[in-house]
């Protein structure tokens, strides 16, 4: 009984949150609703007994959406509405059709899923965390390592992009040095304009 | 059985809410008294004996103050931000075993709301969500100081979450479980079995990160009074501001429970003495939060980032690697 109540409550909340994400014009509403929706999804993991994935869902997505907030802070005045460019009508129609087809597929999925059995059924005597670890380091070792390498590549790329003048620290310089640096930069710009 | 369990859980939730809301209020009294003692002042002394009723006076003031929503703020986010801080602080408490189990009128009580297998991850994750309060409050306030504070909240969150996670990874590897009850049982043999002796580095790192996560003084940048007024709290008034306060103090108490449970033996073998010991450790860690506030200045934001990424994180990674090697061979 509790499971059913919790499922329908969180299903409603999650869908409502993601509906706000795509319809609102206020960047702060969209981001907050996204964070809330991501956290509400963890409830489904808890209901299914996958508490490790539930906790990870909370930790990973709070951090991820927090980074989006940082971008929102840099690019928008988040207290004002964003004026959106009206897109192509055909794209909207196409996406709506696709969504309708997907809904039909999702609803009809249980008919097919009755014939599916799990490769690695959850064992009641082994903890959830241990099971995830077992599968991750045996069957899915290669995808796991590839994902790690991709993240490393992304991190190095990010450092290279952001790392110009990293040896300079404005907080450690005195005012005269900062002034000199600014003048140098202006001279460089002038040279570029002239050439 | 089912209904008994339900009633027990509801009672536990209500007791935790009441006790820690009250403690958050009394915590402010302790803070003012201890800071006053260390700075050779008197602190609150007018209202009631030793100024004890100052807490009630402050509470009445906060409750009856006008709830101002300034023009230009994003109303709904502005209103919900303090609730997030306070609510997540208490949600995190659901997985903390506050005392060993005890029997009252022939009924065994486990003083933990939900003994889930991933207790530590859950507590840290939900406490981290609490930083959404300052972030949202700062971003919705339409105030430059609040926005700076929100940016700092995001930076602190993204960096110190890494240190906390890596620091507790080494003890988790040793215990082989994410449940705080298992952690307690692992250390139940006495002082010699405490994890702090085998993982001193992880202990210090986690302690430092706890200051950043609760936003206490050496890392009190999110609402630095002498720099950015009150940061995210600048535009708030009345009980909404009070909710931020309750959240901060409740978080301090809960993290003071988590540190002894993880590293210092928790409630030991579960005897009455062990329970008293846990409360004494909690009191010490709470006192330490106040002690540092009286003794240390705040660091700059760039120093905070430097400390996190160039000192604490490499040390934590090395600690994990060494622990792994020792366990392997």
């Amino acid at each position: 009984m509790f499971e059913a109540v919790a499922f329908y409550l969180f299903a409603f909340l999650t869908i409502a949150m993601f509906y706000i994400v795509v319809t609102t014009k206020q960047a702060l509403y969209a981001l907050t609703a996204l964070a809330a929706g991501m956290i509400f999804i963890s409830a489904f993991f808890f209901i299914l007994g996958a508490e490790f994935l539930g906790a990870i869902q909370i930790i990973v997505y709070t951090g991820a959406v927090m980074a989006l907030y940082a971008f929102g802070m840099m690019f928008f005045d988040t207290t004002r509405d964003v004026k959106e460019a009206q897109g192509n009508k055909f794209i909207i129609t196409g996406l709506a059709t696709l969504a309708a087809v997907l809904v039909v597929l999702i609803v009809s999925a249980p008919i097919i899923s009755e014939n599916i059995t799990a490769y690695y059924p959850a064992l009641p005597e082994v903890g959830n965390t241990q099971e995830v670890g077992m599968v991750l380091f045996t069957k899915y070792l290669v995808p796991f390592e590839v994902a790690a390498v991709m993240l490393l590549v992304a991190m190095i790329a990010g450092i290279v992009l952001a790392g110009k003048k990293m040896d300079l620290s404005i907080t450690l310089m005195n005012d005269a040095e900062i002034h000199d640096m600014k003048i140098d930069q202006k001279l460089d710009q002038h040279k570029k304009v002239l050439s | 059985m089912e209904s008994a369990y339900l009633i027990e859980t509801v009672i536990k939730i209500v007791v935790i809410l009441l006790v820690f809301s009250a403690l958050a209020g009394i915590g402010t009294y302790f803070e003012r008294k201890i800071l006053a003692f260390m700075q050779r002042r008197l602190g609150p002394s007018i209202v009631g004996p030793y100024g004890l009723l100052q807490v009630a006076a402050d509470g009445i003031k906060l409750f009856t103050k006008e709830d101002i929503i300034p023009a230009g703020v994003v109303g709904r986010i502005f209103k919900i931000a303090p609730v997030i801080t306070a609510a997540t602080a208490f949600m995190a408490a659901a997985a903390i075993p506050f005392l060993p189990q005890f029997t009252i009128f022939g009924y065994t009580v486990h003083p933990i709301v939900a003994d889930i297998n991933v207790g530590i991850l859950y507590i840290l994750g939900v406490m981290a969500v609490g930083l959404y309060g300052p972030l949202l409050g700062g971003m919705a306030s339409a105030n430059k100081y609040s926005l700076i504070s929100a940016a700092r909240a995001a930076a602190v969150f993204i960096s110190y979450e890494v240190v906390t996670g890596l620091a507790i990874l080494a003890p988790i590897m040793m215990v082989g479980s994410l449940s705080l009850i298992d952690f307690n049982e692992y250390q139940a043999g006495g002082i010699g079995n405490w994890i702090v002796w085998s993982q001193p580095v992880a202990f210090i790192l986690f302690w430092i990160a706890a200051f950043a996560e609760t936003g206490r003084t050496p890392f009190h940048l999110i609402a630095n009074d002498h720099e950015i007024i009150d940061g995210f709290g600048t535009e708030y008034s009345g009980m909404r501001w009070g909710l931020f306060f309750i959240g901060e103090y409740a978080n301090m108490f809960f993290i003071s429970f988590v540190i002894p449970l993880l590293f210092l033996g928790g409630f030991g073998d579960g005897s009455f003495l062990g329970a008293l010991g846990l409360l004494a450790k909690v009191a010490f860690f709470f006192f330490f939060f106040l002690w540092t506030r009286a003794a240390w200045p705040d660091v700059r934001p760039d120093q905070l980032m430097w400390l996190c990424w160039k000192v604490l994180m490499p040390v934590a990674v090395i600690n994990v690697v060494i622990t792994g090697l020792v366990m392997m061979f």
Side-chain angles (χ1 to χ4, degrees), chain A residues 2 26 28-29 32 35 39 46 51-52 55-56 58-59 61-63 65-67 69 72-73 78-80 129-130 171, chain B residues 2 6 72 74 76-77 117-118 121 125 129 132 135-136 139-140 142 147 150-151 154 157-158 161 176 178 300 302:
Chain A
F2 287 124
Q26 164 64 258
L28 212 47
Y29 284 169
T32 312
I39 292 168
F46 283 116
E51 64 267 338
F52 179 74
I56 291 294
I58 294 178
I59 292 174
Y61 280 98
T62 44
V65 180
M66 188 73 87
Y69 272 103
M73 219 184 284
T78 42
T79 53
R80 301 284 168 268
T129 320
Q130 284 88 333
T171 28
Chain B
E2 188 79 336
L6 191 68
V74 185
R76 284 184 198 151
I77 307 284
N117 286 328
V118 289
L121 280 184
V129 179
Y132 269 90
L135 178 81
L136 290 175
M139 282 180 83
L147 192 64
F157 171 85
I158 291 170
E161 194 66 348
L178 290 164
R300 287 198 314 259
D302 64 313

Side-chain angles (χ1 to χ4, degrees), chain B residues 151-161 163 212 218-219 221-222 299-314:
Chain B
R152 288 181 181 182
V156 167
F157 171 85
I158 291 170
S159 37
Y160 274 84
E161 194 66 348
V163 178
F219 307 136
L221 311 152
I222 300 176
V299 300
R300 287 198 314 259
D302 64 313
Q303 288 170 331
L304 184 73
M305 292 296 118
W306 173 85
L307 184 69
C308 172
W309 292 109
K310 290 193 181 168
V311 182
L312 300 182
M313 201 194 69

